[in-house]
Amino acid sequence: MKTISEIVKDSGKKYYFYLGDGETGRLFQQQCEKEGFAFGDGVPATARKCARVMNVSSGGTINYVGICGMIAFGGADQVGGKELVRVDFKKVLEGAENIVCSR
């Protein structure tokens, strides 16, 4: 399985992780915490509820994706001038080679 840190290593891109269901979200949070990712205010990844789509940065933070981010997730190629990468975390857990969400 690829680590989240390996996936988000390119700071020139924006990474949105699709979680889809509660169990995948729980595993995502645990992996984030294991790798040292936290919310921007320092709160551990497991301390808050997960949304269906979460933003992860190469700088070690996770964030909720707002309404504009959800619209971007649905169809944009860029967010804030950065290439948008949609990661299907369930595929990451399965060890799939192609971990990008299909639209």
Side-chain angles (χ1 to χ4, degrees):
M1 179 180 105
K2 293 180 183 177
T3 65
I4 294 170
S5 298
E6 290 171 331
I7 296 167
V8 302
K9 64 184 174 191
D10 184 348
S11 63
K13 297 180 181 179
K14 194 84 155 166
Y15 296 90
Y16 285 2
F17 281 69
Y18 175 70
L19 308 176
D21 60 61
E23 178 63 12
T24 303
R26 185 182 68 74
L27 294 171
F28 168 78
Q29 288 175 294
Q30 288 177 346
Q31 186 64 33
C32 282
E33 193 163 298
K34 180 179 174 181
E35 294 185 43
F37 288 87
F39 286 94
D41 58 1
V43 173
T46 57
R48 294 184 176 144
K49 284 192 166 197
C50 237
R52 290 183 78 191
V53 176
M54 298 290 289
N55 169 248
V56 181
S57 75
S58 61
T61 59
I62 61 172
N63 298 290
Y64 293 106
V65 175
I67 188 69
C68 292
M70 290 302 294
I71 292 168
F73 182 81
D77 293 326
Q78 292 188 351
V79 172
K82 293 184 177 184
E83 177 186 347
L84 176 58
V85 179
R86 296 167 186 82
V87 178
D88 186 333
F89 194 66
K90 190 169 249 182
K91 290 181 179 181
V92 174
L93 293 171
E94 294 168 350
E97 189 65 32
N98 179 5
I99 59 171
V100 175
C101 284
S102 55
R103 291 195 245 178

